Amino acid sequence: MDQNVNFMEIVYPAGAVSNASGEFLIHSGYEYGYALEGEIQITIGDAVLTLSKGHSIGFDSSIPHRLQNVASTEFRGIWFVHGCH
């Protein structure tokens, strides 16, 4: 398997943010996600989107981004990161 490809299940409890400081993340590559359960707010640049169960998203990871569970229930999803160095 390509060393620059990562698949993972992500779990965000209610109130969780993609990193402890809450800062935006920036890295090379592209991210794709699919929501299995719950919903999560994704900020990509100036756009704020909500990913809900059964929906998917893809974006350029070089754009500042952050994931945050603003719901009162856990979020679970499958994430795929490609081209991250």
Side-chain angles (χ1 to χ4, degrees):
M1 178 182 259
D2 184 342
Q3 300 245 349
N4 293 326
V5 177
N6 296 305
F7 291 95
M8 64 197 97
E9 179 180 9
I10 61 170
V11 178
Y12 281 70
V17 182
S18 49
N19 62 9
S21 67
E23 293 180 14
F24 284 80
L25 303 171
I26 301 171
H27 54 87
S28 61
Y30 291 86
E31 293 188 33
Y32 305 92
Y34 178 78
L36 296 170
E37 197 174 287
E39 63 182 31
I40 197 159
Q41 184 180 79
I42 304 173
T43 304
I44 306 165
D46 294 331
V48 179
L49 310 164
T50 300
L51 187 64
S52 301
K53 180 180 178 178
H55 293 123
S56 60
I57 190 168
F59 60 93
D60 182 337
S61 301
S62 68
I63 300 169
H65 57 282
R66 176 178 58 205
L67 283 69
Q68 182 174 8
N69 185 347
V70 296
S72 60
T73 58
E74 179 179 86
F75 172 83
R76 287 182 45 244
I78 300 295
W79 230 247
F80 168 77
V81 182
H82 179 264
C84 182
H85 300 289

